[in-house]
Amino acid sequence: MKIKKILPIICMFSFLFAFTTNFVYANSESNTILLGEKHLENENLKMKESVKKITGEPLYNGLYDDNGNIAIIDKNLIKKALLKEYNLSSQENQYLINNIDIIVDEMATQFESLKVAQKNNKSLVNNIEVKGAPGDIPWYAKQSWVKEPEKVSETHHLTYCTGWAVQNNYNSAQAITVSYTKTKTISYTIGFEGSNLIKGFLSASASSTTSYSSSISQGATIDAWTIWATRPYVTYYKEKWEGRRGAKYYHATLGWIEEVWTESGIYYTHVNPSDDYFSAYNDSGKPKTAPAPPTGPPDVEY
């Protein structure tokens, strides 16, 4: 059934805004269906779990003695070793280079703690480190995209209200004036939820819930022998994005460690809130049961 358009005078549309990260429906009459699905072929579909690689390289010669204990804590050598690493990608690591002295002081403090622990308790050797892990990389570690985020799947959805705002004048020979506004409302998510790194890469807004309403307004005129109805619906795309992130940091006893992991998130985009209409005319001019608006999805093109 094609969507029928009725007189603008009987419809009032409004947006109501609230904030959340999940679908929240304004009433139990809302329903969501899948309109279409598309999987995209790219390398991200083959992404693995987090991978850690230990290179075992000392930060600088002389840091450890022959027994593997901290021997020399030389800030100048720490600085020289870090700058050598950071300057491999100087533009990417400009912030680290600019703050190298603060970083060196922090790492020297970590090494000093380890040196004391090694002297007093051999079992503590592997428990003190310049720490780094996916999602909690220290600010002095290198971190960058190994594989920039890509859209890996895309689904097209329709959320609609199964109930209608109805004004029934199907069995009256007189036109009527609507005495109070009748409204139906649905809610849907818009924006990005998931990895903040991908959100920044896309320059997307954080996800939020937005409500959309369709109404028959107070004061509208409904013709004789007529039933009018309206309800809201919205179409949107749900995109899944993935990217590979990598970092390199220094473990006080293991040496340089490289980690690679997957960042992911969902982008609700191309949102199109609209109004569905239903009308029927009693051409017999005699009382009979008015037809009910459909409870199924609107007839939309996609």
Side-chain angles (χ1 to χ4, degrees):
M1 179 183 70
K2 293 296 182 181
I3 298 176
K4 297 183 179 179
K5 302 296 183 180
I6 62 176
L7 296 176
I9 192 173
I10 69 169
C11 299
M12 176 181 73
F13 318 129
S14 63
F15 287 94
L16 306 173
F17 296 93
F19 297 93
T20 185
T21 59
N22 300 309
F23 278 86
V24 178
Y25 296 117
N27 55 54
S28 61
E29 296 176 322
S30 294
N31 189 29
T32 298
I33 63 172
L34 180 67
L35 294 178
E37 186 171 11
K38 182 180 182 182
H39 289 282
L40 308 177
E41 293 294 334
N42 57 48
E43 295 180 14
N44 283 348
L45 290 174
K46 301 177 182 178
M47 284 184 177
K48 300 178 180 180
E49 296 299 321
S50 176
V51 177
K52 179 183 288 187
K53 176 184 177 183
I54 302 174
T55 64
E57 299 171 359
L59 187 66
Y60 62 87
N61 292 332
L63 177 60
Y64 307 104
D65 61 21
D66 293 338
N67 296 318
N69 295 323
I70 296 293
I72 300 173
I73 302 174
D74 188 321
K75 289 188 178 182
N76 288 328
L77 291 178
I78 294 175
K79 182 175 182 179
K80 182 178 179 180
L82 289 178
L83 286 175
K84 179 181 178 181
E85 185 67 31
Y86 295 158
N87 281 321
L88 294 176
S89 303
S90 58
Q91 184 174 358
E92 175 186 312
N93 296 312
Q94 192 60 54
Y95 180 82
L96 302 179
I97 294 171
N98 292 343
N99 291 275
I100 189 63
D101 290 328
I102 298 174
I103 297 170
V104 168
D105 287 342
E106 174 68 20
M107 292 189 71
T109 299
Q110 291 281 346
F111 287 136
E112 187 62 43
S113 297
L114 178 58
K115 187 173 183 178
V116 173
Q118 288 175 327
K119 180 179 180 180
N120 298 327
N121 188 341
K122 296 292 185 180
S123 66
L124 294 179
V125 169
N126 291 320
N127 294 327
I128 299 179
E129 64 181 84
V130 180
K131 189 178 181 182
D136 189 27
I137 301 297
W139 62 272
Y140 50 81
K142 292 177 60 179
Q143 184 179 149
S144 60
W145 289 113
V146 176
K147 178 68 175 178
E148 288 189 344
E150 294 180 357
K151 183 167 57 176
V152 298
S153 68
E154 177 183 277
T155 52
H156 194 194
H157 297 263
L158 165 68
T159 296
Y160 64 96
C161 190
T162 57
W164 295 74
V166 179
Q167 186 62 55
N168 188 356
N169 197 33
Y170 197 72
N171 289 312
S172 173
Q174 301 296 323
I176 63 170
T177 300
V178 178
S179 60
Y180 63 93
T181 298
K182 300 180 178 182
T183 300
K184 290 293 182 180
T185 301
I186 57 171
S187 297
Y188 55 91
T189 299
I190 187 171
F192 186 88
E193 60 185 29
S195 166
N196 286 330
L197 293 170
I198 296 182
K199 180 168 70 72
F201 179 85
L202 295 173
S203 299
S205 299
S207 65
S208 62
T209 291
T210 299
S211 298
Y212 184 73
S213 299
S214 297
S215 301
I216 297 179
S217 301
Q218 181 179 3
T221 299
I222 306 300
D223 294 337
W225 310 113
T226 302
I227 179 174
W228 295 108
T230 185
R231 63 175 176 175
Y233 71 91
V234 59
T235 57
Y236 59 93
Y237 285 91
K238 183 178 177 181
E239 301 174 351
K240 182 178 180 180
W241 285 76
E242 288 185 352
R244 290 291 268 176
R245 194 74 176 172
K248 190 171 184 178
Y249 59 96
Y250 195 81
H251 187 293
T253 56
L254 299 178
W256 286 103
I257 296 178
E258 297 179 40
E259 289 198 63
V260 179
W261 65 96
T262 298
E263 296 280 344
S264 62
I266 300 297
Y267 196 10
Y268 299 93
T269 185
H270 298 95
V271 178
N272 183 31
S274 303
D275 303 274
D276 192 18
Y277 304 103
F278 171 83
S279 65
Y281 178 69
N282 185 353
D283 55 7
S284 69
K286 298 178 181 179
K288 60 181 180 179
T289 302
T295 57
D299 180 20
V300 298
E301 295 181 359
Y302 58 90

